[in-house]
Amino acid sequence: MTDWNKKLTNLIRQNDGTLWGNWSMVAQVNLGDYGVINPETAEFTRLGNIAELYPDFFSTGSKSTGDFFYKTSGVQKHSVTEKISGEFLEPDTETIISGGIKFSWNFSQSNDMLVNFTAVRSDSLKPVQNLLRVDVFKTLLQAAGTAGKRSNSGGILPGFVVVTDVVKSAGGFMVASESSNQKFSIGGEAKATSALVEGLAGDVKAGYSFTESTDSIVKYIFPSPNKCVMRNEQAPQAHIAFRALSFNDKALLTNWKG
């Protein structure tokens, strides 16, 4: 079985060496989550949330970071966007219109990967120094002990982490190929689909109506078909990556890389 989350993490670390990927987005990773990361697979096992237990000690900061686009060398986007026939939902007016567009990519190699998300922001947990407050650290120490990450000197071993940053997106997709010569397409109403693929701007709504792919494509897409998202939307969003802090006994290891 392919460790897709490890491959995603390696891909995005070509640009940012401190991020961990969140392949599939099925398990949301939230600020203040604590648990264990397996560096071999980049998988995070959540045990609890320290910010929920001690809300008075932590706050949240947020900033926009632009679009989130990564691909391996074997992924090639078709140079011409295909115009297609059919009836598709136009999100701004919530009406059905005739005609749309389709974007397509070829995946020439096994384990090729495409990550394409728009309207991305990064939320941060502050101040991380409060993780060393007596009651807070005691809670983390107990959890580390149950996970086999308590040191002989009464501290916490590297690998037990607290999530300090979460990268979220209004929408997009992550796609990978399990074998060579695969294809993935996404299509729908022209303006909404273009916004999802090429980037949200202003008050435009992004969305799509359908996807097509060959048999050996693995894909995760947010939102679901015929749903739309906007740049400033605060509703549930795609949690696509995160940063974590770990420990060396009783010292903080910020931006832990594994």
Side-chain angles (χ1 to χ4, degrees), residues 2-8 23 111-113 176-178 218:
T2 304
D3 289 328
W4 290 117
N5 201 59
K6 181 66 171 180
K7 292 185 179 297
L8 172 61
W23 176 257
N111 294 333
D112 269 339
M113 183 177 288
S177 60
E178 295 182 307
V218 182

Side-chain angles (χ1 to χ4, degrees), residues 32-38 43-50 140 143-144 147 149 156-163 244-247 256:
D33 281 354
Y34 60 83
V36 177
I37 292 180
N38 180 349
E43 294 292 343
F44 172 59
T45 301
R46 181 187 183 275
L47 299 176
N49 187 289
I50 201 67
L140 295 173
K149 290 293 183 178
I156 300 175
L157 295 172
F160 182 88
V161 303
V162 177
V163 174
L245 171 154
S246 193
F247 300 84
W256 185 70

Side-chain angles (χ1 to χ4, degrees), residues 15-27:
N15 182 62
D16 190 323
T18 64
L19 282 178
W20 297 87
N22 188 31
W23 176 257
S24 84
M25 305 171 289
V26 172

Side-chain angles (χ1 to χ4, degrees), residues 85-175:
S85 60
E87 294 185 335
F88 304 101
L89 178 68
E90 203 284 310
D92 285 329
T93 60
E94 296 186 349
T95 58
I96 301 298
I97 65 171
S98 297
I101 61 172
K102 180 169 70 173
F103 294 89
S104 299
W105 292 260
N106 289 329
F107 295 69
S108 64
Q109 303 171 29
S110 177
N111 294 333
D112 269 339
M113 183 177 288
L114 169 66
V115 183
N116 193 124
F117 287 93
T118 184
V120 178
R121 76 170 192 258
S122 179
D123 295 344
S124 302
L125 185 73
K126 301 178 179 180
V128 297
Q129 290 81 6
N130 280 352
L131 295 171
L132 296 178
R133 293 179 67 110
V134 174
D135 289 347
V136 176
F137 190 77
K138 182 179 178 181
T139 298
L140 295 173
L141 188 62
Q142 290 174 341
T146 64
K149 290 293 183 178
R150 183 166 180 166
S151 69
N152 293 332
S153 57
I156 300 175
L157 295 172
F160 182 88
V161 303
V162 177
V163 174
T164 56
D165 297 84
V166 177
V167 181
K168 301 177 181 179
S169 168
F173 43 90
M174 50 182 71
V175 184

Side-chain angles (χ1 to χ4, degrees), residues 9-20 70 242-244 254-258:
T9 298
N10 289 341
L11 181 62
I12 61 182
R13 282 189 176 183
Q14 294 177 17
N15 182 62
D16 190 323
T18 64
L19 282 178
W20 297 87
Y70 298 93
F242 64 96
R243 289 186 180 86
T254 58
N255 296 332
W256 185 70
K257 302 177 183 179

